[in-house]
Amino acid sequence: MPEAVEPKILAIFCNWCTYLAADLAGTSRIKYPANIRVVRVMCSGRVDPQFVMDAFAKGADGVLIGGCHPGDCHYQEGNYKCLRRFELLRRMVKEMGIEDERFRLEWISASEGDRLRTVVTDMVEKIRPLGPRQTLTEVTQ
Amino acid sequence: MPQDYSYFPGCSLQSTGVAYDESVRALFALLDLKLHELPEWNCCGATSYMSIDEGSAFVLSARNLSLAAQAKHRDLVTPCSACYLVLKKTQDYVEHYPAIANKVQQGLQAEGLPPLNGVQVRHPLEILYNDVGLDRIKHASVRPWRGAPIACYYGCQLVRPYCDSDQQQNPTHMEEVLKAAGIPTVDFALKTKCCGGSLTGTIPAVGQRLNYLILKEAIRKGAGAIVTVCPLCQYNLDAYQADIRKSTGEAIDIPVLYFSQVLGWAMGADAKALGLQRSIAGKQTIKQWFAASEREEKAHV
Amino acid sequence: MSEEIRTGVYTCHCGSNIAATVDVKAVAEYAAKLPNVVVSRDYKYMCSDPGQDLIKQDIREHKLNRIVVASCSPHLHEHTFRTALAKGGLNEFLFQMVNIREQDSWVHLDKPAATVKAMDLVRAAVCRVALHKPLTKGSVPIRADVLVVGGGIAGIHAALTLANAGKKVYLVEREPTIGGHMAKFDKTFPTLDCAACILTPKMSSVRAHPNITLWSYSEVTQVDGYVGNFKVTVTRKPRYIMEDLCVGCLECIEACVYKEGKFVDEFNMGLSKRKPIYIPFPQAIPQVPVIDPETCIDFKTGKCKKSCVDACGERHAINLKMKETTEIIDVGTIILSTGFQVFDAHRSPEYGYGVYPNVYTALEIERLVNASGPTSGEVVLRDGKRPKSVAIIHCVGSRDEKNNRWCSRVCCMYSLKLAHLLKEHTDAEIFNFYIDIRTPGKGFEEFYQKLRNEGVHFIRGKVAEVTDWAFDPSEEGKLVIRVEDTLLGFARRIPVDMVVLATGLEPHADAQEVRRRFNLTCSSEGFFLERHPKLAPVSTFTDGVFLAGACQSPKDIPDTVAQAGAAAAEALALIDAGHVEIEPNTAFVLEEDCSGCRTCIPMCPFSAITFSEETKLASINQALCKGCGTCVASCPSGSIVQNLYDDEEIFAEIEGVLSNA
């Protein structure tokens, strides 16, 4: 059983839905674990697969992408583009020995502060028992 | 085309509610629906066990669900409202509370029983409404109704809180089914009020007052009989009428029947097969409505 | 680039909002040691004038060329600080904001963890801002024409305000007439002035105003484009009577083969009947009847003698072959005033609506007490008798875990108003059953006091049920209210003749569809979401689209009108500025790196990317680009860059977050 340490999750949230949901969670004083660090982009469609790879390479224990619900994208369909990339990227990430729990894409609208809490809490709870993420070199050794 | 269901009669249907068991079996047979009694079923625990030892009560009730999960037919029919509620509650709690799910799992494992996946707890009224349908009921109803209109009484446990298809506050399936069978009903505002439950045994004055209010309102609304879905409701409303007459001085004498009895009758079953002779109150009325028609039919033949 | 990066970091306490959970001093001390940081300060309120002055002063004194402010959400104060930079003589985009309030101090309890998080985020911003480049805001011209959607009192007021300012307004209304819910009300609280008397003159002004184009019986079906230049498609349902030919004599209605009304009259809440050809109410605007094809014999069988057409005669205004048409308009701004729908009382079956005939909704009573209503203002039960006692049940469908959890804001006051009107019309005994009486408004509490002096009963308790169960002869034939009187502390049974349900307000059933059409967000209850609950209550997250009235949240007439005025003012501010500044976060192609693979072209939802057959390169039209960055993420050669969100900036931010210095 790996030792439980506080995982660090890099979150990339779109400006119009999930970033606002995180703001709403704040104004509603909803509490969730302090493990996530949010990077804001205008649209989840902006999420370059390299951002995710880079985050894992630099030691993130998890990566969470947040976008608008299907049909709700501020830019019409950026979230669909994100979904397609995510499905492919997820397989790659897995092949690199990174557990499924560490990489998530979630649709969280601006009114869903509560859902943001649920997602973040759930992700932290699922990652924590996995322990610190092994780097590629550790995996191959 | 026959349809098959697993059947969980529960304890009441083997004691005070024998007529319910008889009439449900008769009614289902008439509609070409097959009931396969669950082998070695046990008491559902009813409401009383839940309040004494919740953990064991859930295991007790879960055992029946587990038996049903093993059975060929996973639709488990139970006519008793208390059994229906307890089985549904067990499923709900096992799904939502991991601690209870664990305890139930351990209990079942000790007995070598499978988990309770995929079982549908069903009530005969809901089966009539959804599986059989009003059209088929209409066609199957061969006897014209000779009696007075009826007050449909649901009690509390069937519709609250696990009410799958009907409205909790104002259920109407019984009225619709009876209407399809040509049996008139009255508007009955007390249809989901408490019958007194076990208070008739523990604090009789309180329990009997609740019985009295329901009986009196049904009579005021012009009902000639009350029809119910629950063996405890039936027993409470039926058995205490003599006591109520004594304490209130009012001439209350009204038959309290199961919905399966009046429907079975409309579909041509014998009075005896439906257990109609087992009623306590309103014997005269029952004789008039059912025996008289039977005599008439025989005369025609 | 040989420019020396000199960064100033400012960490805000926000009073105790941040400082209570984040060790602000520690964050500032930490920031001081980060690369390029020349100045690091913490301050009580960075957004205040002295806070902003700190930045301006430091820019001058310490020759700062990058600024990081760690405070609240950029959605709140990014603009404030950018302006401070500009005033300090620095390009406003050499700035990065760190959200340590909404996304840190307010959502975490663990102070050390929240402080570490703040440090991580500040470090990320310091890394990122070093790569920022000076940028210039874009500018888009604003078309002067405005679209107002929904012709209730909100839409009417907004349209008139704009039209009076000389702007051309398109007012689109779904129903055959404008007026909305207010047209159905009898009196308005707390002044008791007649709703029609104050509303219908405004409706007439709409019709008469040269700057307003009114399209009733029409719906907006498509919206394209962006602030300043929206292209809107309006679908006009056929009303089978030509508006331009009809003179509003209503002789066609008189002539209909149905001598009496036979179909549910929607305007009178089904309390009266109308003909297949009808006008919703006498003062309807436009003053043009409509034919309902569902009930008209000619539409159903084709065998009507068409006496309506004969009655119209020479005017030829009736056209039974009329088809749906569409109009496409260009507008610069949009005001949404689509209103609300009333909670369906059937959803609270314990109150017996639809079961007991003498249970009414409040809106039905509005029609019943109205002099031009179905009974000409005579308050009678369905059997024609006058009620001697009336129960008004508050909070039906509001403040209810099973239905809508919010307070509908207007029901207490309209219940008081109806209590007064019913008392006036019938002298009946009136009982109000309430959870709390809420009268926060000008003259509202005084009105409540007046009602109490009029002898109206107020019983505090949520009604358990309405039943016809008669307990004793005094209840025979009555509706019995069963309620726990929480002030007396026991359960009561109160028999009455009439029950009025004070039904709440909720979003329209199709609010989600409408929201998508206009690219808006809804709050969790389904009302349209404003940009900021306090500071931008009529703006939305879609620039150029404003909200007015109950589509944003339940509100009464004074608040609705005030908000409609505000929305009109916001639209006017944009129009009169002539242009709107937009974020310079557009993407562009680095021609030397572009391989011409065209991967990016289908990525753009705005068709902003084109491929030149001549140069074999892609290029992005800066006027069409909205800055989502999807093309940037898709470019295999990294030859598309995006201002403010460029790869290197985001990589720097990620690295900053994750490098545990």
Side-chain angles (χ1 to χ4, degrees), chain C residues 286-307:
Chain C
Q287 187 70 200
V288 176
V290 56
I291 295 174
D292 170 16
E294 299 287 308
T295 52
C296 172
I297 293 180
D298 197 57
F299 281 89
K300 281 162 63 186
T301 65
K303 287 184 195 143
C304 183
K305 61 180 182 179
K306 302 187 184 68
S307 45

Side-chain angles (χ1 to χ4, degrees), chain B residues 50-65:
Chain B
M50 282 279 175
S51 47
I52 295 167
D53 179 355
E54 201 179 57
S56 309
F58 278 121
V59 178
L60 193 65
S61 141
R63 183 176 174 275
N64 295 311
L65 291 166

Side-chain angles (χ1 to χ4, degrees), chain C residues 506-526:
Chain C
E506 62 183 18
H508 270 299
D510 62 351
Q512 292 292 334
E513 267 168 63
V514 175
R515 166 183 83 78
R516 289 217 166 99
R517 205 164 297 149
F518 290 91
N519 203 359
L520 301 181
T521 314
C522 279
S523 51
S524 56
E525 59 271 30

Side-chain angles (χ1 to χ4, degrees), chain A residues 46-64:
Chain A
R46 174 67 185 93
V47 180
D48 190 319
Q50 291 185 73
F51 297 166
V52 178
M53 301 312 261
D54 190 52
F56 280 125
K58 301 252 164 69
D61 296 300
V63 175
L64 170 64

Side-chain angles (χ1 to χ4, degrees), chain B residues 237-278:
Chain B
L237 295 177
D238 193 15
Y240 294 99
Q241 289 191 26
D243 290 354
I244 290 168
R245 277 196 294 277
K246 213 181 285 168
S247 59
T248 62
E250 289 178 40
I252 288 174
D253 188 31
I254 178 170
V256 182
L257 305 170
Y258 294 104
F259 80 101
S260 44
Q261 289 180 301
V262 291
L263 276 178
W265 172 262
M267 292 180 195
D270 283 352
K272 188 112 196 217
L274 296 166
L276 280 162
Q277 77 286 1
R278 297 183 192 273

